[in-house]
Structure formats: structure tokens, C-alpha cells
Amino acid sequence: MSDKVTVLVAGSWGTALASVLAANHSEVYLWTRNPEQAAEINKSHTNEHYLPGNILPSNIIATTDMETAVVGSKAVVIVAPSSGMRQVAHSLKQYWKEDMLCVHATKGFETESMKRMSTVISEELGIAEANVVVLSGPSHAEEVVRHCPTTVVVASPDDKAAAAAQELFINNDFRVYTNRDLIGVELAGALKNIIALGAGLSDGLGFGDNAKAALLTRGLAEISRVGVEMGANPLTFAGLAGIGDLVVTATSQHSRNWRAGSMLGKGMPLPEVLESMGMVVEGIRTTQAAYAISAKLGVQMPITDQIYHVLFKDRSPRSAVESLMGRDRKAEMEAISQETWEQWHS
């Protein structure tokens, strides 16, 4: 079998994963729409816009041609922004072969349809959703590309597909666990970005560690509540894709979502925040989708609700915090009711 592996596209996370794969495989093709970026990667072995100051392995080959990138590969790893996932998967379709392994590492929803990324990919490639493996977990691209010890999870209800993805990525710097709960891993990875925005808002307002700890804890309960309603295993949210990814994204200045939230908390308008970031902030689109999902399912997501109103309804961050603190008194374990757990186990 060919030892060629393909990564679509060459953003920060796609480039970092390509560097992991380059340690394990002889040829890693990295697809980008940008000819100048492809030339830089091939000539200088750098991707300065997304991962400045890092030298990439020489066996990463960048190309703007999808056919060149995909044909002959044993696996395709899709790391497109959620807003572009359907288009990238559609472009991949004509070169797709049934014996290829499909992995995606995008944390978000298709805003218009509220669909998870594995659903979008399965629709466009014409394959079962169980044949799409999701990679998630606490993993900053800036640290992965420097070979800092990192642990992630790959999920699929198909044990063989999950094991193949584990084998594809695992090495001494990049430890990989498997999980059968594709829905839970995918939802956890997407929804934690909303809570990371909230953590940044809290820090931007100068509210301190007590407030952020409460936000993360109640945020995890919120993620778990909607996740279980959508068919996830509640235990997934206590793992790498859940609390692990939530902690790293909500507490680190590497996190785009935390940085965006912090700027908003300091009073910067959203358009200026997005312009200054220069990269996709998935939590913003995810907040739109999650707000719609919570309304559709009738599941309370109070933190998401307040962040939605800050982002899109001109509510001040301070007013949003006051609304959360002034909610009706609750018992803590109402986060996930016993009936919901019993329903999942039945």
C-alpha cells in the first residue's frame, strides 16, 4: 500500500497535523488554494502566516492541485474551516476511493444546516458517517508543530476505522486514544469553543479565576446536556475531547477563541476583533449554530445564549455576566437530569 497521506487544508491546524504525519509517513501532501503559500512551504519549509518561526519537515509537499494531492493516498485528513467544509469535501469527491481512510479535525458546525462535520463529509463523499473518523482533544497547533507532548482522541463507531486513524497519527510525541462515540467527540470539540469565548470575555473584564472556573464547570454541564440530547455518551465529556479540550482552549493565549473573547471583554467591537485575528474563530459561527440547536431541541444553554447576544445582539459583556449571575436558583445536578442519563442507558 502507498505510504502517501493527504491533508486538506494548510491552515495552522492542518499544517501542524501534516508535521505529525510527516514523522510517520514518507510523503505528506498538503493542499492549499494559495500558490504563494504552497511555494513557501516547498521552498522554505515554513508557513509563516499560520505558524511563524517553525521549520516544517522536508517530506511535506504542498500543492494547489487537488488531484495531485489526493490520488494515490491511503488517507485524507480534512482540516477545512467549518464554513468551507462542504466545498472542500465536494472538490475531493471526484478523486475519492473507497479504500481511503477519511479523518477530519474540524471543530464546528455547518451554520446554515446545523449539521456536524462528519455528516457534511458523508453527504458530499457519498459514504456512511461511520466511515468518517473525527480527531479531537487538547492540542494547540503551535505546540504540536514543535513536537510538544500531546494526547488526542480519534472517534468512530467503526473500530477498524478508529484503529487505522490511531495508527496513522500515533508516535512518541503524539499519543492517540480511540473512542466509539463519534457524536460526543465531535460535539465536545465544537461546543467548547463557545465556552472558551466566554472565558476570554471573563478575563477581558478582569473577573479573575473564580469566575472562569465557574464558567468552565457550568459550561461543561451545558455541553454535556445538549450532547446527551443529541445522542452522545455522557462519559465522553469527562475525557480528552470534553474537559481536556475545554481546559486548554479556555485558559491559553494560543487559543483564538480565548483571544477573541478577551478582546471583546476589553470593549473591542466584533468586526475589529475578527480583522485583528486574521484567522477563523470557529466559536463565533458555532455560537450561532448552538443557539439554534438549543432552541430546536428545547435544551437550556444559558452561557451560549448570553454569548450569542453579546456577539450578535449588541449586549454588553458585563450585562451578559449579570444575567447569568441573576438566574433563578438551581440545584447543581440539574445540569444533566437523572432521567436523561437513564434515557441514554436504556
Side-chain angles (χ1 to χ4, degrees):
M1 178 181 289
S2 168
D3 196 36
K4 176 181 174 181
V5 179
T6 299
V7 179
L8 318 171
V9 299
S12 57
W13 190 215
T15 302
L17 288 178
S19 73
V20 173
L21 292 165
N24 299 352
H25 308 280
S26 58
E27 288 185 317
V28 178
Y29 277 75
L30 183 56
W31 179 80
T32 173
R33 291 188 180 91
N34 187 334
E36 293 180 358
Q37 185 186 37
E40 178 196 348
I41 292 170
N42 291 332
K43 182 178 180 179
S44 303
H45 307 298
T46 60
N47 191 350
E48 284 295 318
H49 178 72
Y50 290 102
L51 292 171
N54 291 283
I55 300 299
L56 304 176
S58 59
N59 58 327
I60 295 177
I61 304 163
T63 179
T64 59
D65 183 68
M66 181 73 76
E67 182 176 9
T68 300
V70 174
V71 171
S73 283
K74 64 180 181 181
V76 177
V77 182
I78 312 177
V79 203
S82 60
S83 59
M85 179 61 81
R86 189 173 291 277
Q87 183 181 3
V88 170
H90 181 78
S91 299
L92 171 63
K93 169 67 176 176
Q94 63 179 309
Y95 309 112
W96 179 255
K97 301 295 182 183
E98 289 186 0
D99 61 349
M100 290 176 174
L101 175 67
C102 180
V103 181
H104 93 78
T106 298
K107 299 171 181 179
F109 296 92
E110 186 175 57
T111 307
E112 298 78 10
S113 67
M114 299 181 287
K115 291 178 179 177
R116 293 175 287 105
M117 292 294 98
S118 60
T119 304
V120 172
I121 293 167
S122 68
E123 289 177 352
E124 291 299 323
L125 294 185
I127 62 177
E129 194 170 319
N131 292 334
V132 180
V133 183
V134 58
L135 182 151
S136 194
S139 46
H140 288 310
E142 295 85 351
E143 295 181 3
V144 169
V145 76
R146 293 190 289 110
H147 307 290
C148 296
T150 301
T151 305
V152 299
V153 59
V154 289
S156 170
D158 183 329
D159 289 341
K160 289 184 178 179
Q166 182 183 47
E167 179 65 22
L168 191 74
F169 282 99
I170 196 166
N171 59 42
N172 289 338
D173 302 316
F174 201 76
R175 182 165 176 78
V176 185
Y177 286 87
T178 61
N179 189 323
R180 292 181 175 178
D181 183 19
L182 181 147
I183 293 174
V185 168
E186 204 162 26
L187 289 176
L191 294 171
K192 56 83 186 175
N193 285 330
I194 304 171
I195 310 305
L197 276 171
L201 278 168
S202 179
D203 286 339
L205 288 164
F207 284 159
D209 293 338
N210 294 347
K212 187 158 63 175
L215 183 74
L216 267 61
T217 305
R218 298 310 303 165
L220 184 63
E222 186 167 305
I223 292 169
S224 303
R225 187 162 56 241
V226 73
V228 169
E229 185 68 24
M230 294 178 72
N233 182 336
L235 295 178
T236 295
F237 301 103
L240 289 164
I243 193 168
D245 204 8
L246 176 61
V247 168
V248 79
T249 310
T251 63
S252 172
Q253 295 186 25
H254 286 314
S255 166
R256 300 177 207 171
N257 293 283
W258 181 90
R259 295 203 314 270
S262 178
M263 286 187 276
L264 287 167
K266 292 174 181 175
M268 186 180 290
L270 180 59
E272 293 182 22
V273 170
L274 295 176
E275 183 178 356
S276 69
M277 293 293 293
M279 291 184 281
V280 174
V281 181
E282 284 286 3
I284 293 172
R285 291 176 60 88
T286 301
T287 301
Q288 287 180 290
Y291 182 81
I293 288 168
S294 68
K296 180 180 179 180
L297 298 178
V299 177
Q300 289 190 356
M301 299 184 73
I303 298 172
T304 297
D305 180 80
Q306 292 302 322
I307 294 175
Y308 174 85
H309 281 84
V310 169
L311 293 174
F312 305 109
K313 300 296 181 181
D314 295 323
R315 179 168 293 173
S316 74
R318 190 170 296 275
S319 173
V321 173
E322 290 172 355
S323 295
L324 287 170
M325 294 298 288
R327 295 179 71 233
D328 292 342
R329 300 175 186 182
K330 300 281 185 181
E332 184 180 27
M333 293 314 293
E334 287 183 56
I336 305 176
S337 68
Q338 186 65 33
E339 290 79 9
T340 302
W341 282 71
E342 290 173 353
Q343 181 182 10
W344 183 83
H345 284 292
S346 64

